[in-house]
Amino acid sequence: MAQLRGQDTIVDSSLMETSSHGTETFPFALYLDDFSCFKNEGICWHWHDQAQITLITEGDFVCQLGSEKLLMHPGDLVFINSRALHQIYPLQPRRGKLYAFLWRPELLGAPGSDLYENCIVPITASALRCAFYPTS
């Protein structure tokens, strides 16, 4: 697991994040984002091909997907669909931690397989941007 300190999210002109997550043979990455060390106050607008689950462990955050703002507290979890434009920032600058799990859909099933075509594609190709699971 990588711990991100002083991390900048680098994006291209379409706001696609340019960092790769995981490897070609294992397309999964887990990060601990410690905002006390970030250069910027949050993670700027971006999107990526990977699906993402974010779990808040310390502090309060806003996760924004388009005009939708989710107020998140420790223990809250959000699923962010692949290609969904989003940003996240702590309510108190430079305070808070979260885990970010990112994976390419192919990790769950081979493209062309029944699992991939019938279970994964309907989610990744849908208009679903996120699913929020608050603890309270």
Side-chain angles (χ1 to χ4, degrees):
M1 171 182 58
Q3 183 168 356
L4 299 183
R5 294 183 174 275
Q7 180 72 17
D8 284 326
T9 303
I10 308 299
V11 298
D12 66 14
S13 61
S14 72
L15 298 181
M16 183 176 110
E17 184 178 13
T18 59
S19 300
S20 59
H21 303 287
T23 65
E24 197 63 36
T25 56
F26 191 68
F28 173 85
L30 169 60
Y31 302 100
L32 171 59
D33 294 342
D34 181 350
F35 285 79
S36 68
C37 303
F38 270 44
K39 292 178 187 173
N40 296 321
E41 292 185 4
I43 298 173
C44 68
W45 286 108
H46 70 287
W47 63 272
H48 34 71
D49 288 331
Q50 297 84 2
Q52 177 175 334
I53 290 178
T54 296
L55 172 66
I56 305 301
T57 59
E58 292 179 24
D60 299 313
F61 285 83
V62 172
C63 180
Q64 189 170 357
L65 295 104
S67 62
E68 182 178 11
K69 290 184 177 182
L70 305 172
L71 181 57
M72 299 183 70
H73 309 286
D76 291 353
L77 182 137
V78 64
F79 166 79
I80 301 171
N81 206 353
S82 61
R83 300 184 166 263
L85 185 64
H86 61 283
Q87 70 173 345
I88 190 163
Y89 52 89
L91 288 179
Q92 295 182 341
R94 304 199 193 297
R95 295 196 59 194
K97 293 181 182 177
L98 60 81
Y99 284 104
F101 304 80
L102 289 94
W103 70 94
R104 293 187 59 80
E106 300 84 54
L107 181 68
L108 304 177
S113 69
D114 287 344
L115 174 66
Y116 189 83
E117 298 303 324
N118 296 311
C119 298
I120 297 168
V121 170
I123 294 170
T124 59
S126 75
L128 174 74
R129 289 188 300 190
C130 72
F132 182 43
Y133 301 95
T135 54
S136 54

